[in-house]
PDB file of all heavy atoms in Angstrom:
ATOM      1  N   ASN A  14      94.407 129.877 148.639  1.00  0.00           N
ATOM      2  CA  ASN A  14      93.134 129.137 148.728  1.00  0.00           C
ATOM      3  C   ASN A  14      93.280 127.766 148.100  1.00  0.00           C
ATOM      4  O   ASN A  14      92.404 126.884 148.308  1.00  0.00           O
ATOM      5  CB  ASN A  14      92.040 129.931 148.056  1.00  0.00           C
ATOM      6  CG  ASN A  14      91.746 131.228 148.768  1.00  0.00           C
ATOM      7  OD1 ASN A  14      91.894 131.274 150.036  1.00  0.00           O
ATOM      8  ND2 ASN A  14      91.374 132.238 148.055  1.00  0.00           N
ATOM      9  N   ILE A  15      94.287 127.579 147.262  1.00  0.00           N
ATOM     10  CA  ILE A  15      94.572 126.271 146.664  1.00  0.00           C
ATOM     11  C   ILE A  15      96.000 125.901 147.089  1.00  0.00           C
ATOM     12  O   ILE A  15      96.943 126.543 146.737  1.00  0.00           O
ATOM     13  CB  ILE A  15      94.499 126.352 145.127  1.00  0.00           C
ATOM     14  CG1 ILE A  15      93.082 126.734 144.640  1.00  0.00           C
ATOM     15  CG2 ILE A  15      94.906 125.016 144.508  1.00  0.00           C
ATOM     16  CD1 ILE A  15      92.963 126.929 143.154  1.00  0.00           C
ATOM     17  N   PRO A  16      96.122 124.855 147.914  1.00  0.00           N
ATOM     18  CA  PRO A  16      97.425 124.483 148.417  1.00  0.00           C
ATOM     19  C   PRO A  16      98.260 123.833 147.307  1.00  0.00           C
ATOM     20  O   PRO A  16      97.724 123.105 146.482  1.00  0.00           O
ATOM     21  CB  PRO A  16      97.151 123.509 149.531  1.00  0.00           C
ATOM     22  CG  PRO A  16      95.766 122.944 149.206  1.00  0.00           C
ATOM     23  CD  PRO A  16      95.058 124.035 148.492  1.00  0.00           C
ATOM     24  N   LEU A  17      99.560 124.076 147.367  1.00  0.00           N
ATOM     25  CA  LEU A  17     100.485 123.503 146.417  1.00  0.00           C
ATOM     26  C   LEU A  17     101.422 122.553 147.163  1.00  0.00           C
ATOM     27  O   LEU A  17     101.754 122.806 148.343  1.00  0.00           O
ATOM     28  CB  LEU A  17     101.323 124.538 145.716  1.00  0.00           C
ATOM     29  CG  LEU A  17     100.576 125.531 144.787  1.00  0.00           C
ATOM     30  CD1 LEU A  17     101.522 126.562 144.257  1.00  0.00           C
ATOM     31  CD2 LEU A  17      99.900 124.742 143.684  1.00  0.00           C
ATOM     32  N   THR A  18     101.891 121.507 146.473  1.00  0.00           N
ATOM     33  CA  THR A  18     102.853 120.570 147.013  1.00  0.00           C
ATOM     34  C   THR A  18     104.039 120.566 146.073  1.00  0.00           C
ATOM     35  O   THR A  18     103.889 120.537 144.852  1.00  0.00           O
ATOM     36  CB  THR A  18     102.252 119.166 147.131  1.00  0.00           C
ATOM     37  OG1 THR A  18     101.052 119.241 147.945  1.00  0.00           O
ATOM     38  CG2 THR A  18     103.213 118.161 147.725  1.00  0.00           C
ATOM     39  N   GLU A  19     105.271 120.574 146.624  1.00  0.00           N
ATOM     40  CA  GLU A  19     106.427 120.552 145.810  1.00  0.00           C
ATOM     41  C   GLU A  19     106.701 119.150 145.296  1.00  0.00           C
ATOM     42  O   GLU A  19     106.569 118.164 146.051  1.00  0.00           O
ATOM     43  CB  GLU A  19     107.603 121.066 146.545  1.00  0.00           C
ATOM     44  CG  GLU A  19     108.839 121.214 145.647  1.00  0.00           C
ATOM     45  CD  GLU A  19     109.996 121.985 146.257  1.00  0.00           C
ATOM     46  OE1 GLU A  19     109.898 122.331 147.458  1.00  0.00           O
ATOM     47  OE2 GLU A  19     110.945 122.247 145.547  1.00  0.00           O
ATOM     48  N   ARG A  20     107.013 119.037 144.046  1.00  0.00           N
ATOM     49  CA  ARG A  20     107.311 117.736 143.445  1.00  0.00           C
ATOM     50  C   ARG A  20     108.874 117.581 143.463  1.00  0.00           C
ATOM     51  O   ARG A  20     109.570 118.365 142.880  1.00  0.00           O
ATOM     52  CB  ARG A  20     106.783 117.643 142.009  1.00  0.00           C
ATOM     53  CG  ARG A  20     107.155 116.302 141.329  1.00  0.00           C
ATOM     54  CD  ARG A  20     106.301 116.030 140.191  1.00  0.00           C
ATOM     55  NE  ARG A  20     104.975 115.682 140.643  1.00  0.00           N
ATOM     56  CZ  ARG A  20     103.860 115.862 139.933  1.00  0.00           C
ATOM     57  NH1 ARG A  20     103.909 116.394 138.711  1.00  0.00           N
ATOM     58  NH2 ARG A  20     102.679 115.543 140.408  1.00  0.00           N
ATOM     59  N   ASN A  21     109.328 116.588 144.201  1.00  0.00           N
ATOM     60  CA  ASN A  21     110.735 116.368 144.365  1.00  0.00           C
ATOM     61  C   ASN A  21     111.356 115.671 143.108  1.00  0.00           C
ATOM     62  O   ASN A  21     110.660 115.065 142.335  1.00  0.00           O
ATOM     63  CB  ASN A  21     111.044 115.483 145.578  1.00  0.00           C
ATOM     64  CG  ASN A  21     110.605 116.151 146.853  1.00  0.00           C
ATOM     65  OD1 ASN A  21     110.758 117.349 147.048  1.00  0.00           O
ATOM     66  ND2 ASN A  21     110.024 115.381 147.777  1.00  0.00           N
ATOM     67  N   GLY A  22     112.652 115.838 142.941  1.00  0.00           N
ATOM     68  CA  GLY A  22     113.360 115.182 141.862  1.00  0.00           C
ATOM     69  C   GLY A  22     113.278 115.900 140.531  1.00  0.00           C
ATOM     70  O   GLY A  22     113.621 115.339 139.484  1.00  0.00           O
ATOM     71  N   MET A  23     112.802 117.115 140.529  1.00  0.00           N
ATOM     72  CA  MET A  23     112.659 117.897 139.288  1.00  0.00           C
ATOM     73  C   MET A  23     113.871 118.762 139.130  1.00  0.00           C
ATOM     74  O   MET A  23     114.425 119.255 140.138  1.00  0.00           O
ATOM     75  CB  MET A  23     111.359 118.695 139.261  1.00  0.00           C
ATOM     76  CG  MET A  23     110.097 117.835 139.432  1.00  0.00           C
ATOM     77  SD  MET A  23     109.836 116.641 138.128  1.00  0.00           S
ATOM     78  CE  MET A  23     109.370 117.644 136.843  1.00  0.00           C
ATOM     79  N   PRO A  24     114.312 119.162 137.912  1.00  0.00           N
ATOM     80  CA  PRO A  24     115.495 119.980 137.707  1.00  0.00           C
ATOM     81  C   PRO A  24     115.291 121.400 138.197  1.00  0.00           C
ATOM     82  O   PRO A  24     116.231 122.085 138.560  1.00  0.00           O
ATOM     83  CB  PRO A  24     115.694 119.970 136.197  1.00  0.00           C
ATOM     84  CG  PRO A  24     114.414 119.424 135.646  1.00  0.00           C
ATOM     85  CD  PRO A  24     113.721 118.649 136.679  1.00  0.00           C
ATOM     86  N   ALA A  25     113.990 121.846 138.331  1.00  0.00           N
ATOM     87  CA  ALA A  25     113.726 123.255 138.856  1.00  0.00           C
ATOM     88  C   ALA A  25     112.599 123.046 139.837  1.00  0.00           C
ATOM     89  O   ALA A  25     111.874 122.058 139.809  1.00  0.00           O
ATOM     90  CB  ALA A  25     113.320 124.097 137.677  1.00  0.00           C
ATOM     91  N   PRO A  26     112.406 124.024 140.692  1.00  0.00           N
ATOM     92  CA  PRO A  26     111.301 123.918 141.686  1.00  0.00           C
ATOM     93  C   PRO A  26     109.992 123.731 140.924  1.00  0.00           C
ATOM     94  O   PRO A  26     109.663 124.553 140.071  1.00  0.00           O
ATOM     95  CB  PRO A  26     111.350 125.263 142.434  1.00  0.00           C
ATOM     96  CG  PRO A  26     112.774 125.751 142.281  1.00  0.00           C
ATOM     97  CD  PRO A  26     113.232 125.220 140.915  1.00  0.00           C
ATOM     98  N   THR A  27     109.262 122.707 141.245  1.00  0.00           N
ATOM     99  CA  THR A  27     107.993 122.372 140.544  1.00  0.00           C
ATOM    100  C   THR A  27     106.965 122.092 141.639  1.00  0.00           C
ATOM    101  O   THR A  27     107.166 121.359 142.551  1.00  0.00           O
ATOM    102  CB  THR A  27     108.173 121.142 139.690  1.00  0.00           C
ATOM    103  OG1 THR A  27     109.293 121.371 138.756  1.00  0.00           O
ATOM    104  CG2 THR A  27     106.938 120.774 138.924  1.00  0.00           C
ATOM    105  N   PHE A  28     105.804 122.720 141.491  1.00  0.00           N
ATOM    106  CA  PHE A  28     104.704 122.545 142.404  1.00  0.00           C
ATOM    107  C   PHE A  28     103.458 122.090 141.684  1.00  0.00           C
ATOM    108  O   PHE A  28     103.291 122.335 140.511  1.00  0.00           O
ATOM    109  CB  PHE A  28     104.422 123.906 143.102  1.00  0.00           C
ATOM    110  CG  PHE A  28     105.556 124.399 143.918  1.00  0.00           C
ATOM    111  CD1 PHE A  28     106.555 125.153 143.360  1.00  0.00           C
ATOM    112  CD2 PHE A  28     105.684 124.065 145.281  1.00  0.00           C
ATOM    113  CE1 PHE A  28     107.635 125.623 144.099  1.00  0.00           C
ATOM    114  CE2 PHE A  28     106.734 124.500 146.024  1.00  0.00           C
ATOM    115  CZ  PHE A  28     107.725 125.275 145.422  1.00  0.00           C
ATOM    116  N   TYR A  29     102.550 121.367 142.430  1.00  0.00           N
ATOM    117  CA  TYR A  29     101.350 120.946 141.829  1.00  0.00           C
ATOM    118  C   TYR A  29     100.192 121.071 142.901  1.00  0.00           C
ATOM    119  O   TYR A  29     100.487 121.083 144.060  1.00  0.00           O
ATOM    120  CB  TYR A  29     101.431 119.520 141.265  1.00  0.00           C
ATOM    121  CG  TYR A  29     101.704 118.486 142.305  1.00  0.00           C
ATOM    122  CD1 TYR A  29     100.687 117.692 142.832  1.00  0.00           C
ATOM    123  CD2 TYR A  29     103.009 118.235 142.798  1.00  0.00           C
ATOM    124  CE1 TYR A  29     100.914 116.766 143.795  1.00  0.00           C
ATOM    125  CE2 TYR A  29     103.261 117.271 143.737  1.00  0.00           C
ATOM    126  CZ  TYR A  29     102.201 116.496 144.238  1.00  0.00           C
ATOM    127  OH  TYR A  29     102.479 115.562 145.226  1.00  0.00           O
ATOM    128  N   VAL A  30      98.986 121.124 142.398  1.00  0.00           N
ATOM    129  CA  VAL A  30      97.798 121.133 143.287  1.00  0.00           C
ATOM    130  C   VAL A  30      97.507 119.720 143.703  1.00  0.00           C
ATOM    131  O   VAL A  30      97.380 118.832 142.876  1.00  0.00           O
ATOM    132  CB  VAL A  30      96.589 121.750 142.579  1.00  0.00           C
ATOM    133  CG1 VAL A  30      95.394 121.695 143.424  1.00  0.00           C
ATOM    134  CG2 VAL A  30      96.896 123.174 142.096  1.00  0.00           C
ATOM    135  N   SER A  31      97.471 119.517 144.991  1.00  0.00           N
ATOM    136  CA  SER A  31      97.328 118.111 145.492  1.00  0.00           C
ATOM    137  C   SER A  31      96.112 117.852 146.326  1.00  0.00           C
ATOM    138  O   SER A  31      95.926 116.735 146.753  1.00  0.00           O
ATOM    139  CB  SER A  31      98.607 117.719 146.248  1.00  0.00           C
ATOM    140  OG  SER A  31      98.638 118.539 147.441  1.00  0.00           O
ATOM    141  N   SER A  32      95.310 118.841 146.594  1.00  0.00           N
ATOM    142  CA  SER A  32      94.251 118.698 147.599  1.00  0.00           C
ATOM    143  C   SER A  32      93.235 117.606 147.287  1.00  0.00           C
ATOM    144  O   SER A  32      93.332 116.514 147.838  1.00  0.00           O
ATOM    145  CB  SER A  32      93.527 120.011 147.784  1.00  0.00           C
ATOM    146  OG  SER A  32      93.021 120.475 146.601  1.00  0.00           O
ATOM    147  N   ASP A  33      92.237 117.888 146.472  1.00  0.00           N
ATOM    148  CA  ASP A  33      91.144 116.932 146.256  1.00  0.00           C
ATOM    149  C   ASP A  33      91.170 116.284 144.886  1.00  0.00           C
ATOM    150  O   ASP A  33      90.138 115.771 144.431  1.00  0.00           O
ATOM    151  CB  ASP A  33      89.826 117.642 146.493  1.00  0.00           C
ATOM    152  CG  ASP A  33      89.686 118.084 147.971  1.00  0.00           C
ATOM    153  OD1 ASP A  33      90.158 117.371 148.840  1.00  0.00           O
ATOM    154  OD2 ASP A  33      89.096 119.123 148.174  1.00  0.00           O
ATOM    155  N   ASP A  34      92.282 116.300 144.205  1.00  0.00           N
ATOM    156  CA  ASP A  34      92.259 115.821 142.829  1.00  0.00           C
ATOM    157  C   ASP A  34      91.879 114.318 142.732  1.00  0.00           C
ATOM    158  O   ASP A  34      91.193 113.955 141.810  1.00  0.00           O
ATOM    159  CB  ASP A  34      93.585 116.147 142.105  1.00  0.00           C
ATOM    160  CG  ASP A  34      94.818 115.522 142.756  1.00  0.00           C
ATOM    161  OD1 ASP A  34      94.729 115.242 143.940  1.00  0.00           O
ATOM    162  OD2 ASP A  34      95.815 115.413 142.095  1.00  0.00           O
ATOM    163  N   LYS A  35      92.285 113.519 143.667  1.00  0.00           N
ATOM    164  CA  LYS A  35      91.933 112.109 143.613  1.00  0.00           C
ATOM    165  C   LYS A  35      90.416 111.900 143.702  1.00  0.00           C
ATOM    166  O   LYS A  35      89.875 111.116 143.019  1.00  0.00           O
ATOM    167  CB  LYS A  35      92.644 111.357 144.739  1.00  0.00           C
ATOM    168  CG  LYS A  35      94.149 111.555 144.787  1.00  0.00           C
ATOM    169  CD  LYS A  35      94.882 110.530 144.055  1.00  0.00           C
ATOM    170  CE  LYS A  35      96.387 110.615 144.271  1.00  0.00           C
ATOM    171  NZ  LYS A  35      97.129 111.218 143.215  1.00  0.00           N
ATOM    172  N   GLU A  36      89.804 112.665 144.599  1.00  0.00           N
ATOM    173  CA  GLU A  36      88.348 112.548 144.762  1.00  0.00           C
ATOM    174  C   GLU A  36      87.637 113.038 143.492  1.00  0.00           C
ATOM    175  O   GLU A  36      86.615 112.437 143.062  1.00  0.00           O
ATOM    176  CB  GLU A  36      87.903 113.396 145.973  1.00  0.00           C
ATOM    177  CG  GLU A  36      86.398 113.261 146.254  1.00  0.00           C
ATOM    178  CD  GLU A  36      86.033 114.126 147.445  1.00  0.00           C
ATOM    179  OE1 GLU A  36      86.790 114.205 148.443  1.00  0.00           O
ATOM    180  OE2 GLU A  36      84.901 114.706 147.441  1.00  0.00           O
ATOM    181  N   LEU A  37      88.147 114.100 142.873  1.00  0.00           N
ATOM    182  CA  LEU A  37      87.523 114.616 141.656  1.00  0.00           C
ATOM    183  C   LEU A  37      87.655 113.588 140.507  1.00  0.00           C
ATOM    184  O   LEU A  37      86.738 113.397 139.747  1.00  0.00           O
ATOM    185  CB  LEU A  37      88.210 115.934 141.259  1.00  0.00           C
ATOM    186  CG  LEU A  37      87.892 117.119 142.178  1.00  0.00           C
ATOM    187  CD1 LEU A  37      88.762 118.324 141.745  1.00  0.00           C
ATOM    188  CD2 LEU A  37      86.445 117.453 142.106  1.00  0.00           C
ATOM    189  N   VAL A  38      88.823 112.933 140.447  1.00  0.00           N
ATOM    190  CA  VAL A  38      89.029 111.916 139.409  1.00  0.00           C
ATOM    191  C   VAL A  38      88.110 110.735 139.640  1.00  0.00           C
ATOM    192  O   VAL A  38      87.540 110.219 138.683  1.00  0.00           O
ATOM    193  CB  VAL A  38      90.521 111.449 139.347  1.00  0.00           C
ATOM    194  CG1 VAL A  38      90.656 110.270 138.413  1.00  0.00           C
ATOM    195  CG2 VAL A  38      91.415 112.655 138.836  1.00  0.00           C
ATOM    196  N   ASP A  39      87.926 110.350 140.884  1.00  0.00           N
ATOM    197  CA  ASP A  39      86.983 109.251 141.225  1.00  0.00           C
ATOM    198  C   ASP A  39      85.570 109.612 140.728  1.00  0.00           C
ATOM    199  O   ASP A  39      84.855 108.761 140.190  1.00  0.00           O
ATOM    200  CB  ASP A  39      86.960 108.981 142.743  1.00  0.00           C
ATOM    201  CG  ASP A  39      88.181 108.226 143.218  1.00  0.00           C
ATOM    202  OD1 ASP A  39      88.934 107.644 142.400  1.00  0.00           O
ATOM    203  OD2 ASP A  39      88.432 108.277 144.466  1.00  0.00           O
ATOM    204  N   ARG A  40      85.182 110.837 140.977  1.00  0.00           N
ATOM    205  CA  ARG A  40      83.867 111.278 140.533  1.00  0.00           C
ATOM    206  C   ARG A  40      83.742 111.299 138.987  1.00  0.00           C
ATOM    207  O   ARG A  40      82.738 110.906 138.449  1.00  0.00           O
ATOM    208  CB  ARG A  40      83.581 112.681 141.084  1.00  0.00           C
ATOM    209  CG  ARG A  40      82.206 113.220 140.746  1.00  0.00           C
ATOM    210  CD  ARG A  40      81.125 112.518 141.503  1.00  0.00           C
ATOM    211  NE  ARG A  40      79.874 113.182 141.209  1.00  0.00           N
ATOM    212  CZ  ARG A  40      78.854 112.585 140.607  1.00  0.00           C
ATOM    213  NH1 ARG A  40      78.899 111.294 140.269  1.00  0.00           N
ATOM    214  NH2 ARG A  40      77.787 113.232 140.281  1.00  0.00           N
ATOM    215  N   LEU A  41      84.807 111.716 138.282  1.00  0.00           N
ATOM    216  CA  LEU A  41      84.854 111.722 136.861  1.00  0.00           C
ATOM    217  C   LEU A  41      84.664 110.281 136.318  1.00  0.00           C
ATOM    218  O   LEU A  41      83.930 110.055 135.390  1.00  0.00           O
ATOM    219  CB  LEU A  41      86.186 112.335 136.396  1.00  0.00           C
ATOM    220  CG  LEU A  41      86.258 112.540 134.897  1.00  0.00           C
ATOM    221  CD1 LEU A  41      86.658 113.973 134.594  1.00  0.00           C
ATOM    222  CD2 LEU A  41      87.250 111.624 134.320  1.00  0.00           C
ATOM    223  N   ILE A  42      85.395 109.343 136.942  1.00  0.00           N
ATOM    224  CA  ILE A  42      85.303 107.939 136.492  1.00  0.00           C
ATOM    225  C   ILE A  42      83.881 107.428 136.671  1.00  0.00           C
ATOM    226  O   ILE A  42      83.317 106.764 135.813  1.00  0.00           O
ATOM    227  CB  ILE A  42      86.293 107.037 137.290  1.00  0.00           C
ATOM    228  CG1 ILE A  42      87.743 107.469 136.959  1.00  0.00           C
ATOM    229  CG2 ILE A  42      86.096 105.550 137.012  1.00  0.00           C
ATOM    230  CD1 ILE A  42      88.783 106.848 137.919  1.00  0.00           C
ATOM    231  N   GLU A  43      83.292 107.768 137.834  1.00  0.00           N
ATOM    232  CA  GLU A  43      81.936 107.383 138.153  1.00  0.00           C
ATOM    233  C   GLU A  43      80.948 107.908 137.056  1.00  0.00           C
ATOM    234  O   GLU A  43      80.079 107.173 136.553  1.00  0.00           O
ATOM    235  CB  GLU A  43      81.535 107.914 139.481  1.00  0.00           C
ATOM    236  CG  GLU A  43      80.155 107.567 139.960  1.00  0.00           C
ATOM    237  CD  GLU A  43      79.885 108.246 141.354  1.00  0.00           C
ATOM    238  OE1 GLU A  43      80.730 108.135 142.252  1.00  0.00           O
ATOM    239  OE2 GLU A  43      78.800 108.892 141.435  1.00  0.00           O
ATOM    240  N   ILE A  44      81.118 109.140 136.673  1.00  0.00           N
ATOM    241  CA  ILE A  44      80.278 109.767 135.655  1.00  0.00           C
ATOM    242  C   ILE A  44      80.501 109.065 134.319  1.00  0.00           C
ATOM    243  O   ILE A  44      79.514 108.730 133.630  1.00  0.00           O
ATOM    244  CB  ILE A  44      80.560 111.267 135.529  1.00  0.00           C
ATOM    245  CG1 ILE A  44      80.106 111.992 136.755  1.00  0.00           C
ATOM    246  CG2 ILE A  44      79.909 111.844 134.268  1.00  0.00           C
ATOM    247  CD1 ILE A  44      80.571 113.439 136.916  1.00  0.00           C
ATOM    248  N   ARG A  45      81.756 108.811 133.920  1.00  0.00           N
ATOM    249  CA  ARG A  45      82.029 108.193 132.628  1.00  0.00           C
ATOM    250  C   ARG A  45      81.374 106.809 132.542  1.00  0.00           C
ATOM    251  O   ARG A  45      80.703 106.476 131.529  1.00  0.00           O
ATOM    252  CB  ARG A  45      83.524 108.056 132.377  1.00  0.00           C
ATOM    253  CG  ARG A  45      83.897 107.355 131.104  1.00  0.00           C
ATOM    254  CD  ARG A  45      85.373 107.098 130.906  1.00  0.00           C
ATOM    255  NE  ARG A  45      85.973 106.195 131.854  1.00  0.00           N
ATOM    256  CZ  ARG A  45      85.827 104.886 131.832  1.00  0.00           C
ATOM    257  NH1 ARG A  45      85.090 104.265 130.924  1.00  0.00           N
ATOM    258  NH2 ARG A  45      86.453 104.118 132.742  1.00  0.00           N
ATOM    259  N   LYS A  46      81.455 106.026 133.649  1.00  0.00           N
ATOM    260  CA  LYS A  46      80.895 104.727 133.653  1.00  0.00           C
ATOM    261  C   LYS A  46      79.373 104.751 133.654  1.00  0.00           C
ATOM    262  O   LYS A  46      78.729 103.972 132.993  1.00  0.00           O
ATOM    263  CB  LYS A  46      81.456 103.915 134.833  1.00  0.00           C
ATOM    264  CG  LYS A  46      82.910 103.516 134.627  1.00  0.00           C
ATOM    265  CD  LYS A  46      83.429 102.769 135.829  1.00  0.00           C
ATOM    266  CE  LYS A  46      84.869 102.339 135.606  1.00  0.00           C
ATOM    267  NZ  LYS A  46      85.443 101.595 136.703  1.00  0.00           N
ATOM    268  N   LYS A  47      78.803 105.704 134.382  1.00  0.00           N
ATOM    269  CA  LYS A  47      77.365 105.848 134.501  1.00  0.00           C
ATOM    270  C   LYS A  47      76.803 106.179 133.083  1.00  0.00           C
ATOM    271  O   LYS A  47      75.723 105.710 132.688  1.00  0.00           O
ATOM    272  CB  LYS A  47      76.976 106.911 135.475  1.00  0.00           C
ATOM    273  CG  LYS A  47      75.459 107.101 135.657  1.00  0.00           C
ATOM    274  CD  LYS A  47      75.120 108.195 136.618  1.00  0.00           C
ATOM    275  CE  LYS A  47      74.998 109.471 135.802  1.00  0.00           C
ATOM    276  NZ  LYS A  47      74.595 110.615 136.495  1.00  0.00           N
ATOM    277  N   GLU A  48      77.560 107.004 132.328  1.00  0.00           N
ATOM    278  CA  GLU A  48      77.134 107.419 130.990  1.00  0.00           C
ATOM    279  C   GLU A  48      77.471 106.290 129.934  1.00  0.00           C
ATOM    280  O   GLU A  48      77.146 106.475 128.756  1.00  0.00           O
ATOM    281  CB  GLU A  48      77.767 108.725 130.604  1.00  0.00           C
ATOM    282  CG  GLU A  48      77.410 109.876 131.482  1.00  0.00           C
ATOM    283  CD  GLU A  48      75.968 110.331 131.337  1.00  0.00           C
ATOM    284  OE1 GLU A  48      75.394 110.163 130.245  1.00  0.00           O
ATOM    285  OE2 GLU A  48      75.389 110.794 132.335  1.00  0.00           O
ATOM    286  N   ASN A  49      78.094 105.210 130.425  1.00  0.00           N
ATOM    287  CA  ASN A  49      78.427 104.104 129.557  1.00  0.00           C
ATOM    288  C   ASN A  49      79.335 104.543 128.374  1.00  0.00           C
ATOM    289  O   ASN A  49      79.105 104.161 127.191  1.00  0.00           O
ATOM    290  CB  ASN A  49      77.177 103.367 129.030  1.00  0.00           C
ATOM    291  CG  ASN A  49      77.451 101.990 128.569  1.00  0.00           C
ATOM    292  OD1 ASN A  49      78.343 101.341 129.054  1.00  0.00           O
ATOM    293  ND2 ASN A  49      76.677 101.485 127.624  1.00  0.00           N
ATOM    294  N   ILE A  50      80.354 105.302 128.733  1.00  0.00           N
ATOM    295  CA  ILE A  50      81.306 105.787 127.755  1.00  0.00           C
ATOM    296  C   ILE A  50      82.641 105.133 128.036  1.00  0.00           C
ATOM    297  O   ILE A  50      83.164 105.181 129.182  1.00  0.00           O
ATOM    298  CB  ILE A  50      81.433 107.316 127.800  1.00  0.00           C
ATOM    299  CG1 ILE A  50      80.089 107.982 127.432  1.00  0.00           C
ATOM    300  CG2 ILE A  50      82.533 107.815 126.873  1.00  0.00           C
ATOM    301  CD1 ILE A  50      80.039 109.483 127.608  1.00  0.00           C
ATOM    302  N   SER A  51      83.246 104.531 127.040  1.00  0.00           N
ATOM    303  CA  SER A  51      84.579 103.905 127.224  1.00  0.00           C
ATOM    304  C   SER A  51      85.660 104.944 127.287  1.00  0.00           C
ATOM    305  O   SER A  51      85.437 106.100 126.886  1.00  0.00           O
ATOM    306  CB  SER A  51      84.875 102.928 126.090  1.00  0.00           C
ATOM    307  OG  SER A  51      85.100 103.645 124.895  1.00  0.00           O
ATOM    308  N   GLN A  52      86.839 104.548 127.747  1.00  0.00           N
ATOM    309  CA  GLN A  52      87.965 105.422 127.787  1.00  0.00           C
ATOM    310  C   GLN A  52      88.329 105.868 126.362  1.00  0.00           C
ATOM    311  O   GLN A  52      88.662 107.064 126.121  1.00  0.00           O
ATOM    312  CB  GLN A  52      89.200 104.742 128.429  1.00  0.00           C
ATOM    313  CG  GLN A  52      89.111 104.600 129.929  1.00  0.00           C
ATOM    314  CD  GLN A  52      90.374 103.958 130.508  1.00  0.00           C
ATOM    315  OE1 GLN A  52      91.223 103.453 129.807  1.00  0.00           O
ATOM    316  NE2 GLN A  52      90.457 104.035 131.807  1.00  0.00           N
ATOM    317  N   SER A  53      88.251 104.958 125.384  1.00  0.00           N
ATOM    318  CA  SER A  53      88.553 105.291 124.005  1.00  0.00           C
ATOM    319  C   SER A  53      87.562 106.351 123.462  1.00  0.00           C
ATOM    320  O   SER A  53      87.971 107.273 122.761  1.00  0.00           O
ATOM    321  CB  SER A  53      88.505 104.049 123.150  1.00  0.00           C
ATOM    322  OG  SER A  53      89.550 103.160 123.537  1.00  0.00           O
TER     323      SER A  53
END
């Protein structure tokens, strides 16, 4: 139900979740800025 993508160039087989993480991070940034909270 959660697709994995293999990360190349690693010493052992390594997989990561790649589906909608970019969209989720965009939403997180939007929330942080709306709440007027700095990265620090």
Side-chain angles (χ1 to χ4, degrees):
N14 294 328
I15 298 176
L17 294 178
T18 302
E19 186 168 8
R20 179 161 288 153
N21 296 321
M23 301 300 286
T27 304
F28 297 87
Y29 65 98
V30 176
S31 64
S32 59
D33 295 324
D34 58 339
K35 306 266 189 257
E36 184 179 324
L37 291 172
V38 170
D39 286 341
R40 182 72 177 116
L41 186 128
I42 295 167
E43 180 183 311
I44 292 168
R45 179 184 65 76
K46 289 180 177 180
K47 183 182 91 174
E48 298 292 329
N49 201 29
I50 297 172
S51 70
Q52 287 182 349
S53 295

